[in-house]
Amino acid sequence: MEAQFQVKTDPELWAKLDMDVERFSNVPPSLTGAFTEIFLSQENRPERMAYFDDMVRNIFTGRIQEMYDARQEGRPVVGTFCVFVPEEIIDAVNGVCVGLCGGSQFSIPDAEQIIPRNICPMVKSAFGFKVGRICPFFQVVDFVYGETTCDAKKKNWELLDDYVPTYVMEIPQMKRERDKKLWIEEVQDFKVAMEEKSGKEVTETRLKASIEKLNAKRKAMQRLNDLRHHDPSPISGRDMLLIQQIAFYDIPERFTGKVHELCEELEARIKTENYVAPKGTTRLMISGTPMALPNWKVHNIIETSGAVIVNEESCIGTRYYKDTIATDGTSMDQMLERLTERYMKIDCSCFTPNDDRIDQVLKEYRESGAHGLVDCCLQFCHTYNSEAVKLRRACEKEGIPFLSIETDYSPEDVGQLQTRIEAFVEQIED
Ligand code: BJ8
């Protein structure tokens, strides 16, 4: 166990970003504590997790400085909340794309002074971070791009606009031909908006290079996820979740390289039979709403209850990287069409019908060699919570052990979740 881990601080940089420095200074020590307890207490972690640990160490300093420098160079730094906003186009204008979904209880009281309490904690957490000026990522972006997925998001973008310039991309709620037409138009508008913001044209050459760059990142994640499916697992679910979270704020090329380095180590570990959990450990798959940093609650409970997590069917998980963009398009129109086709494969529960997602969950369940499925939804997320009904039925039909959890970011339900998860693991083992 690493004794010296500390999330770094840089009050001068934070002051330049107009943060509430005094209040925020409580955050690095508390993140240090949580990270040490949840991650560094694990035994026999792959050595190449060191890079990802470093990304946590520098989360409020080094990485923010890089984004600040990019901004000083005139590159747009764009905050997003959803994997539907096409980062290839941001990259094609040499912009920086950063995911701003909130995963912390800390900022929720700030949000609840303004927006309704009975909406999903992810939206409240993000909103509160901006209102309280207690997130350097929110402070370093030039503007944010929201989308019309769920009601909680699309209505609160109107309010968020009071604090940071907020633009909205319309995402249809069905996937018919006419929806595809609208979607392509939205992608075209997004391209024009990025060109205007950056003063840079999205040429075919630039877009091609960005598509290839992001495809490479997604393929690296596919390779890593395939390796972690090995039975026994060469890497824990907690570490995999962390990497999938870092994917939303690291520099794509650097991240891709580090993921491949880790893959090489995992291949070697598999050869030498060096695993994180012994053969016979209960393997669980997670499905549901994304788990934004630093939401490690359910993973920590599961993996301290004697099971190992072997897959996340989530946007901070496979939904982010299971599909790549076909590269046979040569004209701008063709490339944007291919790009849209890839984004249309994301099976978010905001769509109706959305049966492809049920099939995808079952497919990933089989591929990951899981012994049970834990569907994990955030409180007040109506679409995912409703879809859990179909998922349960599908699992019952297939004889898959299924546990449905609805939770938030507070520690209040930890004891109750622990009891339910332990009982679920025992039921599988019997
Ligand atoms: S594509 S999952 S990232 S919308 S949890 S805010 S849906 S009430 S996060 Fe998502 Fe895009 Fe879909 Fe993925 Fe609303 Fe639900 Fe909250 Fe959610």
PDB file of all heavy atoms in Angstrom, residues 81-84 120 122-123 147 149-150 152-153 289-290 315 319 346 348-350 378 380-384, ligand 1:
ATOM      1  N   PHE A  81     -21.717  16.632 -20.823  1.00  0.00           N
ATOM      2  CA  PHE A  81     -22.349  15.806 -19.789  1.00  0.00           C
ATOM      3  C   PHE A  81     -22.860  14.494 -20.345  1.00  0.00           C
ATOM      4  O   PHE A  81     -23.596  13.783 -19.657  1.00  0.00           O
ATOM      5  CB  PHE A  81     -23.540  16.561 -19.169  1.00  0.00           C
ATOM      6  CG  PHE A  81     -23.180  17.914 -18.649  1.00  0.00           C
ATOM      7  CD1 PHE A  81     -23.254  19.022 -19.474  1.00  0.00           C
ATOM      8  CD2 PHE A  81     -22.760  18.076 -17.337  1.00  0.00           C
ATOM      9  CE1 PHE A  81     -22.909  20.271 -18.994  1.00  0.00           C
ATOM     10  CE2 PHE A  81     -22.413  19.321 -16.858  1.00  0.00           C
ATOM     11  CZ  PHE A  81     -22.485  20.421 -17.685  1.00  0.00           C
ATOM     12  N   CYS A  82     -22.521  14.212 -21.570  1.00  0.00           N
ATOM     13  CA  CYS A  82     -23.162  13.061 -22.195  1.00  0.00           C
ATOM     14  C   CYS A  82     -22.313  12.575 -23.351  1.00  0.00           C
ATOM     15  O   CYS A  82     -21.722  13.376 -24.092  1.00  0.00           O
ATOM     16  CB  CYS A  82     -24.539  13.482 -22.709  1.00  0.00           C
ATOM     17  SG  CYS A  82     -25.420  12.172 -23.571  1.00  0.00           S
ATOM     18  N   VAL A  83     -22.271  11.260 -23.530  1.00  0.00           N
ATOM     19  CA  VAL A  83     -21.475  10.681 -24.607  1.00  0.00           C
ATOM     20  C   VAL A  83     -22.096  10.894 -25.992  1.00  0.00           C
ATOM     21  O   VAL A  83     -21.554  10.440 -26.991  1.00  0.00           O
ATOM     22  CB  VAL A  83     -21.217   9.179 -24.364  1.00  0.00           C
ATOM     23  CG1 VAL A  83     -20.353   8.975 -23.137  1.00  0.00           C
ATOM     24  CG2 VAL A  83     -22.515   8.399 -24.241  1.00  0.00           C
ATOM     25  N   PHE A  84     -23.231  11.595 -26.047  1.00  0.00           N
ATOM     26  CA  PHE A  84     -23.816  11.904 -27.352  1.00  0.00           C
ATOM     27  C   PHE A  84     -23.200  13.145 -28.003  1.00  0.00           C
ATOM     28  O   PHE A  84     -23.413  13.393 -29.185  1.00  0.00           O
ATOM     29  CB  PHE A  84     -25.328  12.105 -27.236  1.00  0.00           C
ATOM     30  CG  PHE A  84     -26.098  10.810 -27.208  1.00  0.00           C
ATOM     31  CD1 PHE A  84     -26.976  10.526 -26.176  1.00  0.00           C
ATOM     32  CD2 PHE A  84     -25.946   9.878 -28.216  1.00  0.00           C
ATOM     33  CE1 PHE A  84     -27.682   9.334 -26.143  1.00  0.00           C
ATOM     34  CE2 PHE A  84     -26.651   8.677 -28.194  1.00  0.00           C
ATOM     35  CZ  PHE A  84     -27.520   8.410 -27.155  1.00  0.00           C
ATOM     36  N   CYS A 120     -32.216  13.755 -10.382  1.00  0.00           N
ATOM     37  CA  CYS A 120     -31.080  12.841 -10.251  1.00  0.00           C
ATOM     38  C   CYS A 120     -29.834  13.519  -9.667  1.00  0.00           C
ATOM     39  O   CYS A 120     -29.533  14.670  -9.981  1.00  0.00           O
ATOM     40  CB  CYS A 120     -30.835  12.234 -11.622  1.00  0.00           C
ATOM     41  SG  CYS A 120     -29.173  12.262 -12.211  1.00  0.00           S
ATOM     42  N   MET A 122     -26.766  13.141 -10.270  1.00  0.00           N
ATOM     43  CA  MET A 122     -25.700  13.490 -11.222  1.00  0.00           C
ATOM     44  C   MET A 122     -25.866  14.939 -11.703  1.00  0.00           C
ATOM     45  O   MET A 122     -24.908  15.695 -11.789  1.00  0.00           O
ATOM     46  CB  MET A 122     -25.751  12.540 -12.409  1.00  0.00           C
ATOM     47  CG  MET A 122     -24.685  12.857 -13.405  1.00  0.00           C
ATOM     48  SD  MET A 122     -23.824  11.455 -14.048  1.00  0.00           S
ATOM     49  CE  MET A 122     -25.038  10.286 -14.389  1.00  0.00           C
ATOM     50  N   VAL A 123     -27.107  15.303 -11.994  1.00  0.00           N
ATOM     51  CA  VAL A 123     -27.381  16.656 -12.464  1.00  0.00           C
ATOM     52  C   VAL A 123     -27.196  17.648 -11.315  1.00  0.00           C
ATOM     53  O   VAL A 123     -26.567  18.703 -11.471  1.00  0.00           O
ATOM     54  CB  VAL A 123     -28.812  16.734 -13.048  1.00  0.00           C
ATOM     55  CG1 VAL A 123     -29.203  18.168 -13.347  1.00  0.00           C
ATOM     56  CG2 VAL A 123     -28.910  15.885 -14.308  1.00  0.00           C
ATOM     57  N   GLU A 147     -27.364  18.447 -23.767  1.00  0.00           N
ATOM     58  CA  GLU A 147     -28.133  17.735 -24.784  1.00  0.00           C
ATOM     59  C   GLU A 147     -29.530  17.454 -24.235  1.00  0.00           C
ATOM     60  O   GLU A 147     -29.774  17.607 -23.052  1.00  0.00           O
ATOM     61  CB  GLU A 147     -27.440  16.462 -25.241  1.00  0.00           C
ATOM     62  CG  GLU A 147     -26.943  15.418 -24.310  1.00  0.00           C
ATOM     63  CD  GLU A 147     -26.980  15.580 -22.833  1.00  0.00           C
ATOM     64  OE1 GLU A 147     -26.080  16.255 -22.301  1.00  0.00           O
ATOM     65  OE2 GLU A 147     -27.849  14.990 -22.169  1.00  0.00           O
ATOM     66  N   THR A 149     -31.387  14.766 -23.546  1.00  0.00           N
ATOM     67  CA  THR A 149     -31.631  13.345 -23.313  1.00  0.00           C
ATOM     68  C   THR A 149     -32.774  13.201 -22.315  1.00  0.00           C
ATOM     69  O   THR A 149     -33.910  12.978 -22.714  1.00  0.00           O
ATOM     70  CB  THR A 149     -30.350  12.644 -22.833  1.00  0.00           C
ATOM     71  OG1 THR A 149     -29.736  13.460 -21.843  1.00  0.00           O
ATOM     72  CG2 THR A 149     -29.385  12.399 -23.970  1.00  0.00           C
ATOM     73  N   CYS A 150     -32.474  13.372 -21.042  1.00  0.00           N
ATOM     74  CA  CYS A 150     -33.556  13.242 -20.051  1.00  0.00           C
ATOM     75  C   CYS A 150     -34.066  14.622 -19.641  1.00  0.00           C
ATOM     76  O   CYS A 150     -33.425  15.645 -19.896  1.00  0.00           O
ATOM     77  CB  CYS A 150     -33.045  12.481 -18.833  1.00  0.00           C
ATOM     78  SG  CYS A 150     -31.794  13.405 -17.934  1.00  0.00           S
ATOM     79  N   ALA A 152     -34.330  15.906 -16.650  1.00  0.00           N
ATOM     80  CA  ALA A 152     -33.509  16.549 -15.616  1.00  0.00           C
ATOM     81  C   ALA A 152     -32.394  17.355 -16.262  1.00  0.00           C
ATOM     82  O   ALA A 152     -32.088  18.469 -15.838  1.00  0.00           O
ATOM     83  CB  ALA A 152     -32.919  15.484 -14.693  1.00  0.00           C
ATOM     84  N   LYS A 153     -31.820  16.793 -17.289  1.00  0.00           N
ATOM     85  CA  LYS A 153     -30.739  17.507 -17.959  1.00  0.00           C
ATOM     86  C   LYS A 153     -31.291  18.675 -18.771  1.00  0.00           C
ATOM     87  O   LYS A 153     -30.907  19.813 -18.560  1.00  0.00           O
ATOM     88  CB  LYS A 153     -29.969  16.553 -18.868  1.00  0.00           C
ATOM     89  CG  LYS A 153     -28.995  15.664 -18.113  1.00  0.00           C
ATOM     90  CD  LYS A 153     -28.350  14.714 -19.088  1.00  0.00           C
ATOM     91  CE  LYS A 153     -27.034  14.195 -18.560  1.00  0.00           C
ATOM     92  NZ  LYS A 153     -26.358  13.379 -19.566  1.00  0.00           N
ATOM     93  N   THR A 289     -27.033   3.440 -14.895  1.00  0.00           N
ATOM     94  CA  THR A 289     -26.635   4.848 -15.075  1.00  0.00           C
ATOM     95  C   THR A 289     -25.124   4.985 -14.887  1.00  0.00           C
ATOM     96  O   THR A 289     -24.514   4.222 -14.143  1.00  0.00           O
ATOM     97  CB  THR A 289     -27.349   5.751 -14.053  1.00  0.00           C
ATOM     98  OG1 THR A 289     -27.212   5.168 -12.763  1.00  0.00           O
ATOM     99  CG2 THR A 289     -28.808   5.906 -14.361  1.00  0.00           C
ATOM    100  N   PRO A 290     -24.543   5.981 -15.530  1.00  0.00           N
ATOM    101  CA  PRO A 290     -23.092   6.164 -15.391  1.00  0.00           C
ATOM    102  C   PRO A 290     -22.684   6.521 -13.958  1.00  0.00           C
ATOM    103  O   PRO A 290     -23.447   7.137 -13.220  1.00  0.00           O
ATOM    104  CB  PRO A 290     -22.792   7.338 -16.329  1.00  0.00           C
ATOM    105  CG  PRO A 290     -23.986   7.517 -17.183  1.00  0.00           C
ATOM    106  CD  PRO A 290     -25.150   6.952 -16.461  1.00  0.00           C
ATOM    107  N   CYS A 315     -22.428   4.388 -19.571  1.00  0.00           N
ATOM    108  CA  CYS A 315     -21.696   5.346 -20.420  1.00  0.00           C
ATOM    109  C   CYS A 315     -20.306   5.600 -19.877  1.00  0.00           C
ATOM    110  O   CYS A 315     -19.423   6.012 -20.624  1.00  0.00           O
ATOM    111  CB  CYS A 315     -22.486   6.634 -20.557  1.00  0.00           C
ATOM    112  SG  CYS A 315     -23.885   6.370 -21.648  1.00  0.00           S
ATOM    113  N   ARG A 319     -20.686   1.515 -23.018  1.00  0.00           N
ATOM    114  CA  ARG A 319     -21.449   2.345 -23.953  1.00  0.00           C
ATOM    115  C   ARG A 319     -20.573   3.431 -24.587  1.00  0.00           C
ATOM    116  O   ARG A 319     -20.846   3.935 -25.655  1.00  0.00           O
ATOM    117  CB  ARG A 319     -22.645   2.983 -23.241  1.00  0.00           C
ATOM    118  CG  ARG A 319     -23.981   2.424 -23.689  1.00  0.00           C
ATOM    119  CD  ARG A 319     -25.109   3.109 -22.938  1.00  0.00           C
ATOM    120  NE  ARG A 319     -25.482   2.349 -21.776  1.00  0.00           N
ATOM    121  CZ  ARG A 319     -25.739   2.863 -20.570  1.00  0.00           C
ATOM    122  NH1 ARG A 319     -25.691   4.162 -20.372  1.00  0.00           N
ATOM    123  NH2 ARG A 319     -26.067   2.091 -19.569  1.00  0.00           N
ATOM    124  N   ILE A 346     -25.582   4.217 -29.581  1.00  0.00           N
ATOM    125  CA  ILE A 346     -25.545   4.303 -28.117  1.00  0.00           C
ATOM    126  C   ILE A 346     -26.966   4.056 -27.610  1.00  0.00           C
ATOM    127  O   ILE A 346     -27.899   4.778 -27.973  1.00  0.00           O
ATOM    128  CB  ILE A 346     -25.030   5.683 -27.648  1.00  0.00           C
ATOM    129  CG1 ILE A 346     -23.616   5.928 -28.180  1.00  0.00           C
ATOM    130  CG2 ILE A 346     -25.076   5.778 -26.123  1.00  0.00           C
ATOM    131  CD1 ILE A 346     -23.109   7.341 -27.962  1.00  0.00           C
ATOM    132  N   CYS A 348     -28.890   4.477 -24.967  1.00  0.00           N
ATOM    133  CA  CYS A 348     -29.308   5.159 -23.728  1.00  0.00           C
ATOM    134  C   CYS A 348     -30.791   4.898 -23.498  1.00  0.00           C
ATOM    135  O   CYS A 348     -31.582   4.845 -24.447  1.00  0.00           O
ATOM    136  CB  CYS A 348     -29.063   6.650 -23.891  1.00  0.00           C
ATOM    137  SG  CYS A 348     -29.686   7.636 -22.523  1.00  0.00           S
ATOM    138  N   SER A 349     -31.176   4.797 -22.241  1.00  0.00           N
ATOM    139  CA  SER A 349     -32.585   4.512 -21.925  1.00  0.00           C
ATOM    140  C   SER A 349     -33.506   5.685 -22.252  1.00  0.00           C
ATOM    141  O   SER A 349     -34.726   5.559 -22.140  1.00  0.00           O
ATOM    142  CB  SER A 349     -32.719   4.149 -20.448  1.00  0.00           C
ATOM    143  OG  SER A 349     -32.347   5.271 -19.675  1.00  0.00           O
ATOM    144  N   CYS A 350     -32.951   6.812 -22.651  1.00  0.00           N
ATOM    145  CA  CYS A 350     -33.801   7.952 -23.036  1.00  0.00           C
ATOM    146  C   CYS A 350     -34.541   7.654 -24.344  1.00  0.00           C
ATOM    147  O   CYS A 350     -35.442   8.400 -24.723  1.00  0.00           O
ATOM    148  CB  CYS A 350     -32.957   9.203 -23.192  1.00  0.00           C
ATOM    149  SG  CYS A 350     -32.191   9.676 -21.644  1.00  0.00           S
ATOM    150  N   LEU A 378     -29.385   5.575 -10.596  1.00  0.00           N
ATOM    151  CA  LEU A 378     -29.435   6.708  -9.686  1.00  0.00           C
ATOM    152  C   LEU A 378     -30.892   7.027  -9.357  1.00  0.00           C
ATOM    153  O   LEU A 378     -31.787   6.833 -10.185  1.00  0.00           O
ATOM    154  CB  LEU A 378     -28.746   7.920 -10.318  1.00  0.00           C
ATOM    155  CG  LEU A 378     -27.223   7.828 -10.340  1.00  0.00           C
ATOM    156  CD1 LEU A 378     -26.625   8.954 -11.178  1.00  0.00           C
ATOM    157  CD2 LEU A 378     -26.649   7.858  -8.925  1.00  0.00           C
ATOM    158  N   PHE A 380     -34.254   8.854  -8.920  1.00  0.00           N
ATOM    159  CA  PHE A 380     -34.989   9.808  -9.763  1.00  0.00           C
ATOM    160  C   PHE A 380     -34.602   9.742 -11.239  1.00  0.00           C
ATOM    161  O   PHE A 380     -34.959  10.622 -12.003  1.00  0.00           O
ATOM    162  CB  PHE A 380     -34.842  11.258  -9.269  1.00  0.00           C
ATOM    163  CG  PHE A 380     -35.256  11.454  -7.841  1.00  0.00           C
ATOM    164  CD1 PHE A 380     -34.331  11.875  -6.894  1.00  0.00           C
ATOM    165  CD2 PHE A 380     -36.549  11.211  -7.433  1.00  0.00           C
ATOM    166  CE1 PHE A 380     -34.692  12.058  -5.572  1.00  0.00           C
ATOM    167  CE2 PHE A 380     -36.933  11.392  -6.110  1.00  0.00           C
ATOM    168  CZ  PHE A 380     -35.998  11.811  -5.175  1.00  0.00           C
ATOM    169  N   CYS A 381     -33.825   8.731 -11.629  1.00  0.00           N
ATOM    170  CA  CYS A 381     -33.554   8.562 -13.057  1.00  0.00           C
ATOM    171  C   CYS A 381     -34.664   7.670 -13.605  1.00  0.00           C
ATOM    172  O   CYS A 381     -34.589   6.447 -13.556  1.00  0.00           O
ATOM    173  CB  CYS A 381     -32.185   7.925 -13.301  1.00  0.00           C
ATOM    174  SG  CYS A 381     -31.929   7.645 -15.064  1.00  0.00           S
ATOM    175  N   HIS A 382     -35.706   8.326 -14.111  1.00  0.00           N
ATOM    176  CA  HIS A 382     -36.908   7.574 -14.485  1.00  0.00           C
ATOM    177  C   HIS A 382     -36.660   6.595 -15.628  1.00  0.00           C
ATOM    178  O   HIS A 382     -37.197   5.499 -15.642  1.00  0.00           O
ATOM    179  CB  HIS A 382     -38.033   8.542 -14.850  1.00  0.00           C
ATOM    180  CG  HIS A 382     -38.279   9.550 -13.775  1.00  0.00           C
ATOM    181  ND1 HIS A 382     -38.405   9.201 -12.455  1.00  0.00           N
ATOM    182  CD2 HIS A 382     -38.392  10.898 -13.815  1.00  0.00           C
ATOM    183  CE1 HIS A 382     -38.586  10.280 -11.727  1.00  0.00           C
ATOM    184  NE2 HIS A 382     -38.580  11.322 -12.524  1.00  0.00           N
ATOM    185  N   THR A 383     -35.861   7.012 -16.610  1.00  0.00           N
ATOM    186  CA  THR A 383     -35.718   6.153 -17.782  1.00  0.00           C
ATOM    187  C   THR A 383     -34.970   4.857 -17.442  1.00  0.00           C
ATOM    188  O   THR A 383     -35.407   3.775 -17.826  1.00  0.00           O
ATOM    189  CB  THR A 383     -35.012   6.907 -18.929  1.00  0.00           C
ATOM    190  OG1 THR A 383     -33.749   7.378 -18.458  1.00  0.00           O
ATOM    191  CG2 THR A 383     -35.847   8.057 -19.444  1.00  0.00           C
ATOM    192  N   TYR A 384     -33.856   4.969 -16.725  1.00  0.00           N
ATOM    193  CA  TYR A 384     -33.113   3.743 -16.381  1.00  0.00           C
ATOM    194  C   TYR A 384     -33.876   2.902 -15.364  1.00  0.00           C
ATOM    195  O   TYR A 384     -33.875   1.666 -15.441  1.00  0.00           O
ATOM    196  CB  TYR A 384     -31.695   4.061 -15.884  1.00  0.00           C
ATOM    197  CG  TYR A 384     -30.755   4.275 -17.037  1.00  0.00           C
ATOM    198  CD1 TYR A 384     -30.518   5.552 -17.525  1.00  0.00           C
ATOM    199  CD2 TYR A 384     -30.153   3.208 -17.681  1.00  0.00           C
ATOM    200  CE1 TYR A 384     -29.690   5.753 -18.621  1.00  0.00           C
ATOM    201  CE2 TYR A 384     -29.329   3.397 -18.778  1.00  0.00           C
ATOM    202  CZ  TYR A 384     -29.098   4.670 -19.243  1.00  0.00           C
ATOM    203  OH  TYR A 384     -28.298   4.856 -20.331  1.00  0.00           O
TER     204      TYR A 384
HETATM  205  S1  BJ8 B   1     -26.204   8.602 -23.191  1.00  0.00           S
HETATM  206  S2  BJ8 B   1     -26.899   7.549 -19.895  1.00  0.00           S
HETATM  207  S3  BJ8 B   1     -24.450  10.034 -20.587  1.00  0.00           S
HETATM  208  S4  BJ8 B   1     -27.947  10.717 -21.012  1.00  0.00           S
HETATM  209  S5  BJ8 B   1     -28.770   9.381 -14.612  1.00  0.00           S
HETATM  210  S6  BJ8 B   1     -28.733  12.635 -15.983  1.00  0.00           S
HETATM  211  S7  BJ8 B   1     -30.322   9.928 -17.774  1.00  0.00           S
HETATM  212  S8  BJ8 B   1     -31.751  11.282 -14.807  1.00  0.00           S
HETATM  213  S9  BJ8 B   1     -26.655  10.221 -17.553  1.00  0.00           S
HETATM  214 FE1  BJ8 B   1     -26.533   9.720 -19.631  1.00  0.00          FE
HETATM  215 FE2  BJ8 B   1     -26.017  10.492 -22.092  1.00  0.00          FE
HETATM  216 FE3  BJ8 B   1     -27.808   8.595 -21.637  1.00  0.00          FE
HETATM  217 FE4  BJ8 B   1     -25.261   8.108 -21.305  1.00  0.00          FE
HETATM  218 FE5  BJ8 B   1     -30.703  11.856 -16.690  1.00  0.00          FE
HETATM  219 FE6  BJ8 B   1     -30.730   9.463 -15.641  1.00  0.00          FE
HETATM  220 FE7  BJ8 B   1     -29.567  11.424 -14.348  1.00  0.00          FE
HETATM  221 FE8  BJ8 B   1     -28.506  10.470 -16.585  1.00  0.00          FE
END
